[in-house]
Amino acid sequence: MKINIGSTIKELRLKKEITQEQLSAYLGVTPQAISRWEAGNGYPDIEILPSIAEYFSVTTDTLLGINRTEREKRLTEI
């Protein structure tokens, strides 16, 4: 499974109509960090994931691109 958290963050950020600077100020990271994540050149620290999810009112599973229905189906198959 490939993690596309950067594109998910970008999509959520654009939907909310906020800048990288605004998101970075909320999270306490640099705007460059947000830019790197969105470009796929790095990932947020695991400790920041709950804050990102809370900010966008989504689950950490959503951020990580995990589809619960698909996951439950795979678990049933196992």
Side-chain angles (χ1 to χ4, degrees):
M1 170 174 49
K2 184 173 179 178
I3 297 175
N4 293 316
I5 191 168
S7 60
T8 303
I9 291 172
K10 183 175 185 176
E11 179 182 319
L12 292 167
R13 182 180 62 75
L14 293 175
K15 241 185 229 182
K16 197 165 180 149
E17 298 181 352
I18 62 164
T19 65
Q20 291 178 340
E21 289 78 13
Q22 290 169 310
L23 180 57
S24 69
Y26 175 81
L27 296 174
V29 299
T30 65
Q32 291 81 7
I34 305 293
S35 178
R36 279 194 308 273
W37 303 341
E38 290 183 358
N41 295 324
Y43 300 106
D45 188 280
I46 193 166
E47 293 177 349
I48 296 177
L49 292 181
S51 295
I52 297 170
E54 181 181 327
Y55 185 80
F56 291 116
S57 300
V58 297
T59 65
T60 53
D61 280 356
T62 299
L63 284 178
L64 295 171
I66 297 171
N67 181 318
R68 284 183 174 248
T69 305
E70 185 178 311
R71 188 177 100 202
E72 289 171 6
K73 180 182 173 187
R74 286 178 49 203
L75 287 174
T76 302
E77 291 172 358
I78 293 172

